Structure formats: C-alpha cells, structure tokens
C-alpha cells in the first residue's frame, strides 16, 4: 500500500496579501536553487531560480531571497491570488557530476478570498 | 519555457505486470533526464538519472532491476516498472534540463497497481 504521507505545512493567506514561504536547505556546497509550484495531479512548474553568488532575485510578483549563512531560502509572492494556491517546493542543485536536484519538504499555500 | 511530456498520464495495472512510462523533451534535446517518485503529500524523491547512450545511475535504495531505464534518443527516456506491486503505486515524474542547470518537469504519470 501507499506510504503514510507527511502533513505538509500550510500557509493560509487572504487574497491580495503578500505570502512568504520559507525553506531550509541541506548542503552548504549547493550553488543553485530553484522554486517550483506544483498543483494537484501535475508536475512541478518552474517559478524562479537563484545562484549562490546572489542574495536576491526578482521576477514577476515573486522574489527569492537566499541566506547562505544559515542555509535559508524564501519565496515572496506579492498580491497573492487564488491561482497561486498550490504546493511550493524549493530545490537545491547538489553537484554530483549529474546536475541532481534535491527537493525540500514543500509548503501548501492556501489563498482565501 | 521548455516542454517535457509524459505518457501515459494514468495507468492501472494488475500486480505482477510491467508498466512502461515515456518521457519526451518536445522542443530541445536532453542527454540527461531524471526520474522522480512522489507519494501523496510528500516531496519528490530522485530515483535515477537517465543518460543517453549509457547506463542509468540509480539513487541509493532504488532497485535497478525493478525500475528499468532506457534513454533511447536525445528526446526520449523510458521507465519500466517491472513486476509491479501495490507498494509501487505512486506519481512518477520525469525532468530534463534544456540548459545546464534549470530542469523542466513532465506532467507526471499516476500509477495504480491493483
């Protein structure tokens, strides 16, 4: 049978508010980080990425912050919309000769009208 | 962005049978593709790295004889779940990097083994 699933942490926000999703990564040697959005029953969708030589990068309505000192990554979504409701994963690129991505546990974002 | 497709999107099979899942890069070539498995309410777990023209590289704990990977061309990788059992039921997702770092994911394949 299926494995017992972990309960994903959930962030509930009101439509129009800003959302901040946090992630702690594991490998201090990782040099590339990506945020993905996953809607139910679908594959992860690329949102934004950042390299370790940067501490901030902005996209359309999204900003990623990287704090290498404490191995922390955050995704900020401005003016959150109902369509932003999904599970968000951070991923770190751990170079092992094969460009492997290691995913974080994920956070469910629930946007309420 | 780059497009990665998977087929089938859903498959139901009987215990003991084998199931093949295809992953295609539609608008770019990929010498490397990756296969992930995702159980409900969990994160993606990397199973193996598929390499065009050479053997796949499996992550620790993943049985290579059970999960057969063939990277037949620069746009196609297949994952065959052999002698499937109910515990193999999961969401299987592939990815491919059109550039050196960024990976784009397929829509996933839901496998249910009865």
């Amino acid at each position: 049978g299926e494995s017992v699933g972990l309960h994903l942490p959930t962030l509930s926000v009101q439509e129009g508010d800003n959302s901040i999703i946090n992630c702690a990564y594991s490998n201090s040697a990782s040099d590339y980080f990506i945020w993905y959005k996953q809607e139910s029953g679908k594959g992860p969708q690329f949102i934004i990425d950042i390299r370790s030589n940067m501490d901030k990068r902005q996209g359309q309505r999204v900003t990623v912050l990287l704090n290498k000192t404490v191995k922390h990554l955050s995704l900020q979504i401005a003016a959150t919309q109902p369509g932003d409701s999904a599970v968000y994963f951070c991923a770190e690129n751990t170079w092992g000769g094969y460009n492997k991505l290691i995913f974080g546990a994920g956070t469910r974002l629930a946007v309420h009208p | 962005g780059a497009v990665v497709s998977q087929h089938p999107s859903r498959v139901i099979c009987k215990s003991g049978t084998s199931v093949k899942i295809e992953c295609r890069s539609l608008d770019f070539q990929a010498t490397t593709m990756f296969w992930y498995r995702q159980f409900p309410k969990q994160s993606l777990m990397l199973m193996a790295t598929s390499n065009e023209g050479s053997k796949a590289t499996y992550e620790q704990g993943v049985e290579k004889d059970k999960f057969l990977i063939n990277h037949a061309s620069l746009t196609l990788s297949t994952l065959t779940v052999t002698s499937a059992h109910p515990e193999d039921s999961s969401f299987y997702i592939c990815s491919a990097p059109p550039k050196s770092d960024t990976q784009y994911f397929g829509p996933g394949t839901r496998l249910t083994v009865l």
Side-chain angles (χ1 to χ4, degrees):
Chain A
E2 292 182 334
S3 300
V4 175
L6 300 172
H7 290 287
L8 291 170
T10 298
L11 174 65
S12 294
V13 299
Q14 291 293 121
E15 181 178 357
D17 287 352
N18 296 332
S19 302
I20 300 176
I21 301 171
N22 296 304
C23 174
Y25 64 91
S26 59
N27 190 341
S28 57
S30 295
D31 63 355
Y32 179 60
F33 305 87
I34 313 172
W35 279 101
Y36 287 96
K37 172 186 180 183
Q38 187 179 30
E39 296 175 283
S40 181
K42 298 183 179 180
Q45 176 187 354
F46 174 89
I47 301 174
I48 192 169
D49 58 1
I50 189 169
R51 294 197 174 277
S52 59
N53 60 353
M54 304 171 68
D55 53 21
K56 179 179 181 179
R57 190 168 186 218
Q58 289 184 294
Q60 189 175 18
R61 278 203 310 120
V62 295
T63 301
V64 55
L65 299 177
L66 174 62
N67 185 331
K68 296 182 288 295
T69 303
V70 295
K71 294 191 290 185
H72 182 268
L73 200 64
S74 69
L75 176 69
Q76 300 178 2
I77 304 174
T80 314
Q81 302 168 1
D84 295 326
S85 294
V87 177
Y88 289 80
F89 293 98
C90 66
E92 59 186 295
N93 189 330
T94 302
W95 286 99
Y98 294 101
N99 190 23
K100 302 195 301 186
L101 281 183
I102 304 300
F103 279 77
T107 297
R108 181 176 301 281
L109 177 64
V111 183
H112 302 285
Chain B
V3 179
V4 177
S5 71
Q6 280 184 242
H7 177 81
S9 57
R10 288 180 178 271
V11 57
I12 300 172
C13 68
K14 292 182 179 180
S15 185
T17 61
S18 294
V19 174
K20 180 186 286 188
I21 302 170
E22 293 185 347
C23 176
R24 293 182 186 272
S25 57
L26 298 186
D27 51 0
F28 64 97
Q29 294 182 331
T31 56
T32 303
M33 292 183 176
F34 301 88
W35 287 97
Y36 294 81
R37 180 167 54 182
Q38 185 179 31
F39 292 109
K41 298 183 180 180
Q42 293 191 23
S43 188
L44 284 76
M45 295 298 295
L46 179 64
M47 299 175 65
T49 303
S50 173
N51 304 298
E52 191 271 335
S54 63
K55 291 182 179 180
T57 305
Y58 291 83
E59 295 301 303
Q60 192 171 9
V62 178
E63 300 175 57
K64 61 181 181 181
D65 294 330
K66 181 168 184 62
F67 298 99
L68 300 179
I69 291 173
N70 182 25
H71 201 131
S73 73
L74 288 172
T75 59
L76 173 63
S77 174
T78 60
L79 169 68
T80 301
V81 183
T82 62
S83 186
H85 288 93
E87 57 265 30
D88 298 322
S89 297
S90 188
F91 194 50
Y92 291 86
I93 313 172
C94 70
S95 73
K99 299 182 293 185
S100 59
D101 296 331
T102 307
Q103 291 187 31
Y104 288 88
F105 285 80
T109 297
R110 173 75 60 193
L111 170 63
T112 302
V113 185
L114 303 177

